[in-house]
Amino acid sequence: MVQLPSGRKIFRSAVVKPQIPSTFSKENSQGMGTEHVSKKNETEVPNMADDFLLHSEMLLKEMFGPGQYIYCTPDGSQDFSKSRMTELKGLKERNTFDVVRSDDVPKGARIYGSRWVDTLKSMDDGSHVAKSRLVAQNYRDKGASSIATKSPTISRMGQRVAMATSAFFPEHISYVRDISQAYLQSESNLERKIFLRPPLEMNLDPDAVLVVLKPLYGVPESGLHWFVTYHAHHKQRLSMKSTKGDPCLLYRHSATETDGITALQVDDSYGHGTKEFLEEEERESKRFKCKPRKILKVGETTSFNGSQITVETNRVHLLRQMDKLRKVAKPKNPEEMVSLRALLQYIGCCTRPDLCASVQLLASQVTDPDNSTYSAMEKIVERCHDTTDMGLRFVPMEKKSLRLALFSDASFANADRLKSQLGFVVLLVDGNDKANIIHYGSSRCKRVTRSVMAAELHALVYGFDQAFVVREVFEEVLGKSIPIDGYIDSRTVFNVVAKSSATLEKRLQIDAHALRESHEKGELRYLAWIPSKQKLADGLTKELAEEKHSLVQTMRSNKLNLTPNGWVEKHQ
């Protein structure tokens, strides 16, 4: 309940929790044992009884990075004693703890538990590596509410910008780097005292208590400490700058052009640069404990940020999620339906814009599905199985003639409760009509729409705001001006923006005037009215995009072929 000038109002909030397989139980979560998971029950109803299990699941990818994991049972099938001792050795070398007696702990201070998280991480070559992390059980840390704990990570748009630019710099070499025990290598200490019970492997006295001095996995603010350290490393030692649209996307200019770009994702980084930049990056990274840097070669595939990156001939870069698409299976009950929709939504946001709208439109139906819901979801699953090799392709382009092409679309009152679905897609296009998809989105309109024209105008404003951010990022990275061209299939909206036709609703007048002002300033250089068949964003607002859809064809061919019915252009 919030007190407003008009009176007290009750607002509803939603909490999204990660899925934990149902084979977790309170009995096997006590103490400091390893995780227990059965692969057969991945999609069963999650057991939310143990708060710590939820917290440790969210920490898993922060601790070990993206990849496939196998949780092991303590039946002797896997020995983690060596990996645990390696972890303790690293903690000791970095002076992470100070040991005190329980009598020295201030009165009223809470002593948290500690726990081992043991996993087997699947590598790109199919092998498995044992990993162990000592995690603080700070999942009910009340002190975290008064300090900053959120740390930035690379956005999907920022990652696509990094991959798109790597495709058209012929002298650049792409690489992926992984930092070991990243949080423990933070240069700053914790600003508050946190007390832990030591693990049995440390062989300390029963009344011994650990005082955490350095950032540790499980401590809420540890991620922010590491981000500050790694971000400052790139800015100070490599003389890189952050983009305004994404602080985790960094670049560096030489005397002539860009010589290095890096995308930061917690302890992983993807980048590309000249030979001189890579030599400097390798030399400066020796101050951290890290794995050997992996250079991306033609024909090889590596994982980064939940996706697979493949380099083909002629510097074509592929961004796909083949492993996740192969795991998609037809749901048999509502619980599996909810889990599948979440997985498909994640895949759509990362690499498959053609799946976004169809999955989004089912969001309100999956909790209580009927036959039509199962039928619609089965069609999406079949589509995934038929296109496991499909994803985003980034091809080399002519840097002198680059522009951004914005497509927006809306489906009026086609979603639950007569809400409208908005969609946009932003592409980087050159003078030869080669096109790379950089940014896209499909979401419900948060404003009341009373007409088709209102929904289309909201979609254009929504898409232009996103395209403006993309343009700022590209202009910073490339050091050159890049115009924005807009494409819509609504003649009414085209007349309102281009010809100043009148509209009765005041909010729509404000949106239309803002677009006309952007056009006058040259921020929106070109606005065209195109046939609906050429509308790429149509696949982000309606049902499943088939193979013949213009969006799917553009994803496969990286070519943009348009024949506008009318247009208005701002000459510089």
Side-chain angles (χ1 to χ4, degrees):
M1 182 175 293
V2 179
Q3 180 67 44
L4 299 177
S6 58
R8 294 184 177 181
K9 300 292 183 182
I10 298 177
F11 293 87
R12 184 180 65 182
S13 63
V15 178
V16 180
K17 296 184 177 181
Q19 177 180 345
I20 307 297
S22 62
T23 47
F24 281 104
S25 65
K26 226 173 182 182
E27 288 75 19
N28 62 31
S29 67
Q30 301 299 323
M32 300 176 58
T34 56
E35 312 287 347
H36 299 236
V37 176
S38 171
K39 291 292 288 183
K40 295 181 180 179
N41 296 323
E42 282 182 340
T43 57
E44 291 185 4
V45 185
N47 179 3
M48 299 298 181
D50 194 332
D51 289 343
F52 171 72
L53 295 177
L54 293 175
H55 188 70
S56 63
E57 182 73 8
M58 290 187 289
L59 286 173
L60 183 59
K61 287 192 176 181
E62 289 188 5
M63 292 187 293
F64 302 114
Q68 301 300 312
Y69 300 94
I70 301 175
Y71 295 79
C72 299
T73 56
D75 58 359
S77 58
Q78 180 67 34
D79 182 14
F80 288 96
S81 58
K82 185 176 180 180
S83 59
R84 289 185 178 187
M85 295 309 298
T86 301
E87 172 75 358
L88 290 177
K89 182 180 178 181
L91 295 173
K92 184 177 180 180
E93 290 176 350
R94 293 176 175 84
N95 297 319
T96 308
F97 302 122
D98 191 8
V99 181
V100 298
R101 295 187 176 278
S102 56
D103 297 338
D104 299 328
V105 178
K107 186 177 181 181
R110 181 178 175 183
I111 302 177
Y112 296 96
S114 61
R115 179 183 173 90
W116 286 108
V117 177
D118 301 318
T119 61
L120 288 176
K121 182 176 180 180
S122 298
M123 309 306 290
D124 293 336
D125 58 2
S127 62
H128 295 89
V129 177
K131 297 263 186 177
S132 295
R133 288 289 182 265
L134 183 64
V135 179
Q137 293 179 294
N138 286 50
Y139 54 95
R140 291 177 180 172
D141 186 357
K142 295 181 180 179
S145 60
S146 60
I147 58 176
T149 59
K150 302 295 182 181
S151 59
T153 56
I154 187 69
S155 65
R156 300 296 173 184
M157 179 271 293
Q159 181 178 343
R160 296 184 198 117
V161 170
M163 293 192 62
T165 51
S166 66
F168 53 76
F169 281 109
E171 69 279 6
H172 281 202
I173 302 172
S174 300
Y175 68 91
V176 172
R177 181 176 291 284
D178 184 7
I179 304 294
S180 302
Q181 295 182 317
Y183 285 11
L184 307 181
Q185 300 190 60
S186 302
E187 294 181 346
S188 54
N189 294 335
L190 296 179
E191 296 181 356
R192 57 183 181 135
K193 287 189 176 182
I194 294 179
F195 301 95
L196 293 183
R197 301 192 185 280
L200 298 178
E201 287 79 0
M202 295 188 71
N203 296 320
L204 298 178
D205 295 335
D207 62 340
V209 176
L210 301 179
V211 182
V212 184
L213 306 176
K214 294 279 189 178
L216 181 70
Y217 292 104
V219 178
E221 63 267 34
S222 295
L224 184 58
H225 281 267
W226 166 245
F227 170 76
V228 172
T229 297
Y230 205 37
H231 192 259
H233 163 78
H234 285 82
K235 295 186 69 174
Q236 298 172 7
R237 294 181 176 267
L238 296 177
S239 302
M240 304 187 78
K241 297 180 180 180
S242 295
T243 59
K244 297 176 182 177
D246 191 340
C248 293
L249 181 64
L250 299 102
Y251 65 95
R252 190 178 79 175
H253 289 157
S254 63
T256 56
E257 60 180 11
T258 307
D259 66 348
I261 295 176
T262 302
L264 304 181
Q265 176 63 22
V266 192
D267 58 346
D268 295 325
S269 60
Y270 165 80
H272 58 87
T274 60
K275 183 178 179 181
E276 292 75 15
F277 175 80
L278 263 67
E279 290 176 352
E280 185 176 351
E281 193 276 340
E282 177 70 18
R283 182 175 62 255
E284 295 294 341
S285 295
K286 291 181 179 179
R287 59 192 293 256
F288 297 115
K289 179 183 178 182
C290 54
K291 300 174 184 176
R293 184 178 62 189
K294 184 172 184 179
I295 301 297
L296 304 187
K297 300 180 180 179
V298 176
E300 293 184 353
T301 300
T302 189
S303 298
F304 176 76
N305 197 17
S307 305
Q308 289 82 49
I309 300 176
T310 305
V311 180
E312 293 187 338
T313 55
N314 300 323
R315 297 197 60 78
V316 175
H317 285 60
L318 302 180
L319 183 65
R320 299 176 292 184
Q321 292 176 303
M322 298 177 291
D323 57 334
K324 293 178 175 59
L325 287 171
R326 294 190 184 102
K327 291 181 178 180
V328 172
K330 295 181 180 180
K332 299 178 181 178
N333 51 60
E335 290 76 21
E336 291 185 0
M337 179 73 77
V338 172
S339 177
L340 176 60
R341 194 207 70 85
L343 175 60
L344 291 173
Q345 187 74 27
Y346 173 68
I347 295 174
C349 292
C350 296
T351 59
R352 293 293 298 271
D354 56 312
L355 301 178
C356 286
S358 54
V359 177
Q360 183 79 257
L361 292 172
L362 293 176
S364 61
Q365 306 174 28
V366 294
T367 54
D368 187 19
D370 54 17
N371 291 335
S372 62
T373 307
Y374 280 102
S375 177
M377 188 63 79
E378 288 174 0
K379 289 182 180 179
I380 300 175
V381 171
E382 291 175 359
R383 173 70 177 168
C384 292
H385 290 169
D386 295 338
T387 57
T388 54
D389 63 334
M390 189 174 175
L392 299 178
R393 299 176 76 248
F394 301 93
V395 299
M397 309 181 79
E398 186 183 69
K399 294 193 290 291
K400 295 182 180 180
S401 58
L402 292 177
R403 62 187 176 92
L404 289 178
L406 164 66
F407 294 82
S408 65
D409 188 40
S411 290
F412 177 65
N414 72 327
D416 182 48
R417 299 180 183 178
L418 299 180
K419 293 183 179 180
S420 299
Q421 191 77 14
L422 308 182
F424 75 93
V425 57
V426 180
L427 301 94
L428 185 67
V429 188
D430 67 359
N432 300 318
D433 291 329
K434 292 182 180 180
N436 291 331
I437 295 178
I438 303 299
H439 196 23
Y440 57 87
S442 177
S443 62
R444 305 281 174 84
C445 184
K446 295 178 176 60
R447 293 169 60 177
V448 176
T449 52
R450 298 183 175 90
S451 64
V452 175
M453 190 271 287
E456 293 280 358
L457 187 57
H458 290 334
L460 180 57
V461 172
Y462 171 46
F464 178 73
D465 289 343
Q466 302 298 321
F468 190 85
V469 175
V470 175
R471 188 193 73 166
E472 290 295 311
V473 171
F474 268 112
E475 289 185 346
E476 286 182 280
V477 171
L478 301 179
K480 66 185 301 293
S481 178
I482 298 178
I484 301 176
D485 297 340
Y487 300 90
I488 55 177
D489 66 347
S490 172
R491 183 173 183 177
T492 306
V493 174
F494 177 76
N495 291 335
V496 168
V497 178
K499 301 181 180 180
S500 301
S501 298
T503 177
L504 298 178
E505 192 173 344
K506 186 174 182 180
R507 292 186 304 171
L508 299 183
Q509 293 176 7
I510 295 173
D511 289 340
H513 180 74
L515 288 171
R516 285 195 291 268
E517 186 176 351
S518 296
H519 177 65
E520 290 297 325
K521 291 180 178 179
E523 296 171 345
L524 180 62
R525 182 188 67 170
Y526 179 93
L527 183 65
W529 165 42
I530 61 175
S532 297
K533 292 183 179 180
Q534 301 177 2
K535 191 65 173 296
L536 273 67
D538 187 70
L540 289 159
T541 59
K542 298 175 178 64
E543 295 182 358
L544 188 64
E546 299 296 337
E547 195 67 29
K548 295 182 180 180
H549 197 280
S550 57
L551 175 62
V552 178
Q553 291 180 348
T554 302
M555 291 175 62
R556 291 195 178 279
S557 65
N558 289 90
K559 294 289 290 184
L560 194 63
N561 299 312
L562 301 173
T563 55
N565 296 323
W567 64 89
V568 58
E569 184 174 1
K570 174 67 176 179
H571 294 284
Q572 300 295 333

